Amino acid sequence: MMMAMNSIKRNDHALLMAGMEQVVKHGTAEVMIENEHGSLIHDTFSDAWMIDCDSYETGKQWMDRFIPDECHLFQSLRGDLAEEAKNRWGFSEILICHQAVFEKEEVPALTGSLHIQPAEEKDLSFILENYHQLDESEIRILIGIHHIFIGYDTDGNRTGIAGIHMEGSAGLLEILPEYRRHGYGMELEKYVLQYMKQNDMIPFCQVETDNDKSLALQEKIGMSISKGNVYWLFG
């Protein structure tokens, strides 16, 4: 069953459920089934199908019953169902991530080293030149809902970007090479986490399991890191 996210310390499963809770919380989730075995939801904004269940057999039955022949984005908390989805829909990309959730009351204060503001249409080319994980159409949507932010140094130079993915996780973090090792990545991420808390969102992100540098950054900020994995498939 989906667990309510609150200020108490969560167990590992609850950390992994933050993404599914996010879309339910904000009303973009179509709950296909939820019972004692888990849940399957469809996020109507990102078109992501998200599944959590206690067995491969149950998950496969739900996939057969509810998910259409064409599926473009899939999240599972089980590796065997991720493999099933890969074979079923021919996904070419899989990200295996830990989930990092900020559980404390207050995000650490910003240092003031950057001026941070929402990206505008004029920033589109800058974002596309420096962030290559999303296509232009999705970037335009995120700009339109003010979920991408640009960091400027004291001289007014654009140093990097950060934002919130369509399914509600913090991310899109990219610092230009010449501005790295100044703490700008942490500054931008703290800003995004503050924004999420202020806008009644669960402040969380997903980090690939082999990205030790990013995992260390999340721990330094004060995030709780799941031991288990979230599997994203696309492409």
Side-chain angles (χ1 to χ4, degrees), residues 5 25 28 64 93 113 145 150 157 181 184 190 222-223:
M5 309 302 285
K25 183 181 178 70
T28 61
D64 291 340
E93 301 288 341
S113 60
I145 61 175
I150 306 291
N157 300 306
R181 299 187 178 181
Y184 293 157
K190 287 191 296 185
M223 306 275 270

Side-chain angles (χ1 to χ4, degrees), residues 4-5 15 19 21-22 31 56 67 72 117 139 154 174 187 195 208 216 234:
M5 309 302 285
L15 291 175
E21 290 287 343
Q22 187 84 293
V31 180
Y56 169 79
I67 304 181
H72 305 288
Q117 64 183 40
I139 293 291
T154 54
E174 187 69 35
E187 189 81 346
Y195 176 93
E208 290 187 69
F234 54 94

